[in-house]
Amino acid sequence: MSTLTAERPTAEPATRPRAPKRRLRGEAKLHPLVWVFVVAVMGFSLIPFYWLVNTSLKTGASLSQGELYPSQPTFENYLVVFQNPEFLLALRNSVIIAVVTTTVALVFASFAAYALARLKMRRKALILTLILSVTTFPAIAIAAPLFSIWREIGLYDTLLGLIIPKLTFALPLAIYTLTSFFKEIPRELEESAYMDGATPFTAFRKVILPLAVPGLATTAILVFISVWNEFLLAVTLTTSPEARPVPVAIAFFSGTSEFDQPLGTISAASVIITVPLVILVLLCQKRIVSGMTAGAVKG
Amino acid sequence: MANKTLVPGRGVNGRDRAERRLAVRMTAPSLVIMALVAAVPIGYAIWLSLNQYSVRTAGLSRFVGLENYISALSSSQWWAAFGQTFLFAGLSVSLELVLGTAMALLLNLAFKGRALLRTVVLLPYAIITVVSAITWQTMFQPNMGLVTNVLSALGLPGGDVVWLGEHGYAMAVIVLADVWKTTPFAALIILAGLQVISSETYEAAELDGASKWQAFVHITLPLLRPAIVLAAIFRTMDALRVFDLPFVLTRGANGTESMSMLAYTQLRENRLVGEGSALSILTFLTVMVVSVIYVRFAGGNIREVAKEEQ
């Protein structure tokens, strides 16, 4: 534990004038035990991915023997998945649901977040608390009544019937994240827009929104991932392949075939939908980190 | 900077009023959606929970008062699910906080490979929970899973266990799958807290002759408290709502049913809308009570964050 309190990190060299010097002083020699921990953490994070890919490349005997690596790798499972109409439908459904929900949430949330971050407003703390409290609702509390309401008004088992409640959970997440991004934009910019005779809304649209694009992108990624991942509403409010998104399709892939559990196929389907998100995380790692921690902890 | 009264044609008060009007209009759409799709259904759920309402009998409903609640609260199923959910939350959140703090301290060190480590620990966040559950399920499959095979190859106990077939083992796999996927989240929140502690604090402590361990216990941990509490709140709220993991891993068998799962089962599989609604309201109240307790006793800083919004 002796190196735990080593020199401060060089997190953002660009914002630190003495970055090169700090880096030299800061690059600590890690204790061997700390390296063991580093390797353990990396292994813990990566091994399940390895096993998922490994399983997806095996069929028949090599699958049931649980070989530690595929001795005869085959893409058969992937072919099966891509020929499965239910999986393709689920993929389509997930894309539509995630794209529509993310877009709509971003539009409304950027309005609300701007008002909460910048405008004079009565009962701001109360409104923010209410918005945050929606994030703590267990989805089942909404799913149960929506199950009944949607059946009566015909939204049960439809894409719209899933988008609406998912939006309810996406909005507070987006508002919370965006509010902290808007706060980082210097106030002077709006003041000079006002000087030029802009109304508050014009200042928002013409000055602040373009500057907030990185924050909007970050929020979009976070919302997209959480909507894509959501399961309980999806499983409660759908019943047919026409409306089922990917997580539900995959879960029932495994559930219905008790006698011949197609683990290879399920794993292949899982790999297919995980790869794009892993690429997204690799590409947008910094954004995701800043979004996850935005506004959470302040100095 | 700009003098507000210079805005053409408007005084300070004029702009204030315009801002307030705009603020209302800008927050209204979000608030209306959330009210319609969160508050209204919850109100309706309360109504449903007071009725006997069955899909089987074509939605015929009969007001029964608190009967559904009484039968839920006197059933062993509810208390089992309640206990299991808290057991799961307690185990997974405490592991995530300890492991997350250790990971955050690691990520806060300057060493070659830190960027790689940060990317790697973030990867589980990209996987959907259902897929993570399936992955852990295959790792613990008897005879063909990675963990079971390695354990038996090494002659260690556990290789011949049907992991998902026994309560304790099944719970362990569920906790492990949750820890794997969500520790990065806790670690990042705690890392953000770590990065705002100034190095002068440590320099002063060092001058006073404090050891590294003393500095960690007396400086780092207390200053990290707000970040750790925040991570604990987020993670606990999520853990108490757990659904996907037991649903995929065990379908709730072997005493792993969570509160959300029990409500779901009554609602969708047993078609008992009234009782299912009562159970979901009970789940809702449980989560709410826990969050209020958290904010009141452990999270003064959370209220400050909220208050800071002026």
Side-chain angles (χ1 to χ4, degrees):
Chain A
M1 298 296 263
S2 62
T3 46
L4 288 180
T5 52
E7 191 48 59
R8 302 295 302 153
T10 51
E12 262 106 303
T15 61
R16 291 169 192 247
R18 287 185 296 132
K21 200 178 165 197
R22 293 187 74 94
R23 182 166 275 267
L24 277 180
R25 278 199 295 141
E27 209 149 84
K29 277 254 181 298
L30 295 194
H31 192 278
L33 275 178
V34 180
W35 276 117
V36 171
F37 185 52
V38 171
V39 172
V41 167
M42 286 207 182
F44 181 61
S45 302
L46 290 177
I47 285 171
F49 285 103
Y50 169 74
W51 193 250
L52 182 64
V53 174
N54 180 43
T55 311
S56 76
L57 295 173
K58 295 191 291 199
T59 54
S62 91
L63 180 63
S64 55
Q65 281 158 13
E67 292 173 337
L68 296 185
Y69 59 92
S71 53
Q72 290 157 316
T74 164
F75 286 97
E76 210 181 298
N77 293 319
Y78 289 85
L79 281 178
V80 172
V81 171
F82 276 120
Q83 282 160 2
N84 181 333
E86 288 195 14
F87 179 77
L88 297 177
L89 261 178
L91 209 53
R92 182 206 70 167
N93 293 339
S94 271
V95 169
I96 295 175
I97 292 167
V99 169
V100 173
T101 309
T102 307
T103 313
V104 177
L106 230 55
V107 172
F108 289 142
S110 63
F111 289 163
Y114 180 72
L116 290 165
R118 288 300 246 259
L119 298 179
K120 292 200 175 63
M121 196 179 177
R122 275 180 248 275
R123 299 185 208 287
K124 207 181 255 187
L126 176 72
I127 292 174
L128 205 81
T129 310
L130 279 178
I131 291 173
L132 271 177
S133 72
V134 174
T135 57
T136 70
F137 282 14
I140 187 71
I142 314 247
L146 284 184
F147 175 68
S148 309
I149 300 173
W150 274 190
R151 285 166 76 93
E152 273 165 42
I153 63 175
L155 280 175
Y156 178 70
D157 202 26
T158 65
L159 292 183
L160 186 63
L162 265 189
I163 289 169
I164 294 170
K166 283 187 187 225
L167 189 57
T168 305
F169 286 99
L171 274 172
L173 172 67
I175 293 173
Y176 185 60
T177 317
L178 280 174
T179 304
S180 56
F181 281 118
F182 282 136
K183 280 189 174 168
E184 282 167 21
I185 296 171
R187 234 168 228 291
E188 288 79 13
L189 293 167
E190 281 150 304
E191 296 292 346
S192 55
Y194 290 153
M195 288 282 288
D196 294 339
T199 64
F201 190 73
T202 322
F204 165 70
R205 202 166 50 90
K206 293 245 168 91
V207 181
I208 303 303
L209 213 49
L211 287 169
V213 166
L216 290 169
T218 302
T219 311
I221 297 168
L222 291 179
V223 170
F224 188 92
I225 292 179
S226 92
V227 173
W228 187 266
N229 183 32
E230 199 284 325
F231 182 70
L232 197 152
L233 291 167
V235 74
T236 312
L237 301 176
T238 62
T239 190
S240 73
E242 274 71 41
R244 263 182 188 165
V246 159
V248 184
I250 287 192
F252 284 111
F253 233 7
S254 60
T256 48
S257 43
E258 234 175 291
F259 303 106
D260 171 37
Q261 227 198 6
L263 274 184
T265 329
I266 296 166
S267 301
S270 301
V271 172
I272 292 167
I273 62 155
T274 302
V275 167
L277 287 183
V278 164
I279 293 172
L280 189 72
V281 167
L282 290 177
L283 290 178
C284 310
Q285 194 226 114
K286 284 233 165 76
R287 289 196 177 292
I288 292 173
V289 172
S290 66
M292 282 165 96
T293 54
V297 184
K298 285 183 191 142
Chain B
M1 252 337 277
N3 183 341
K4 286 177 183 175
T5 51
L6 288 179
V7 176
R10 277 190 191 142
V12 171
N13 288 337
R15 214 183 81 198
D16 268 18
R17 262 201 302 277
E19 270 194 22
R20 281 180 212 276
R21 257 203 311 273
L22 180 66
V24 171
R25 268 185 248 145
M26 287 180 105
T27 36
S30 297
L31 291 179
V32 167
I33 294 176
M34 284 190 271
L36 279 180
V37 194
V40 170
I42 286 184
Y44 189 55
I46 295 172
W47 168 246
L48 287 175
S49 70
L50 301 173
N51 282 276
Q52 202 164 63
Y53 181 111
S54 162
V55 175
R56 215 177 275 147
T57 53
L60 198 70
S61 98
R62 181 169 66 89
F63 188 82
V64 293
L66 292 176
E67 210 172 87
N68 287 323
Y69 289 94
I70 292 166
S71 79
L73 288 172
S74 54
S75 78
S76 56
Q77 258 182 320
W78 161 256
W79 291 111
F82 183 87
Q84 289 318 308
T85 310
F86 274 87
L87 176 66
F88 165 79
L91 287 173
S92 65
V93 174
S94 40
L95 275 170
E96 281 157 25
L97 291 181
V98 173
L99 201 59
T101 306
M103 261 190 208
L105 290 167
L106 206 56
L107 288 168
N108 198 32
L109 293 177
F111 67 97
K112 271 206 188 86
R114 189 178 67 153
L116 178 69
L117 180 68
R118 188 168 85 161
T119 308
V120 166
V121 299
L122 200 58
L123 283 182
Y125 176 73
I127 210 164
I128 66 173
T129 314
V130 167
V131 168
S132 132
I134 288 167
T135 307
W136 284 92
Q137 188 180 36
T138 60
M139 297 213 313
F140 282 92
Q141 285 280 324
N143 305 321
M144 53 186 285
L146 177 66
V147 178
T148 43
N149 274 351
V150 169
L151 286 178
S152 28
L154 296 175
L156 292 167
D160 51 357
V161 163
V162 182
W163 282 80
L164 293 166
E166 264 178 67
H167 173 257
Y169 290 115
M171 199 50 130
V173 177
I174 295 175
V175 168
L176 206 54
D178 192 62
V179 167
W180 179 69
K181 184 172 154 56
T182 58
T183 302
F185 176 78
L188 289 173
I189 301 280
I190 295 167
L191 178 63
L194 209 50
Q195 290 184 334
V196 297
I197 304 176
S198 84
S199 53
E200 279 89 43
T201 322
Y202 291 108
E203 279 153 25
E206 215 172 305
L207 280 178
D208 290 343
S211 71
K212 303 257 162 157
W213 176 250
Q214 282 173 324
F216 173 71
V217 172
H218 296 292
I219 298 173
T220 313
L221 276 186
L223 289 175
L224 266 189
R225 202 183 101 119
I228 294 177
V229 169
L230 194 73
I233 293 181
F234 282 142
R235 290 302 319 136
T236 308
M237 294 305 113
D238 254 4
L240 291 178
R241 297 180 284 194
V242 66
F243 183 81
D244 332 20
L245 286 173
F247 187 89
V248 173
L249 281 166
T250 61
R251 287 286 193 273
N254 304 311
T256 56
E257 195 163 55
S258 71
M259 294 186 288
S260 288
M261 267 201 82
L262 179 63
Y264 169 87
T265 309
Q266 295 294 52
L267 185 79
R268 287 266 348 226
E269 267 148 45
N270 301 337
R271 305 259 160 159
L272 298 166
V273 176
E275 204 169 317
S277 299
L279 287 164
S280 49
I281 292 295
L282 287 174
T283 308
F284 173 58
L285 290 177
T286 309
V287 176
M288 226 173 62
V289 167
V290 172
S291 70
V292 167
I293 292 173
Y294 249 129
V295 173
R296 176 134 304 184
F297 293 103
N301 56 303
I302 304 303
R303 265 174 297 162
E304 274 151 40
V305 170
K307 286 251 171 65
E308 203 205 291
E309 318 293 330
Q310 300 152 13

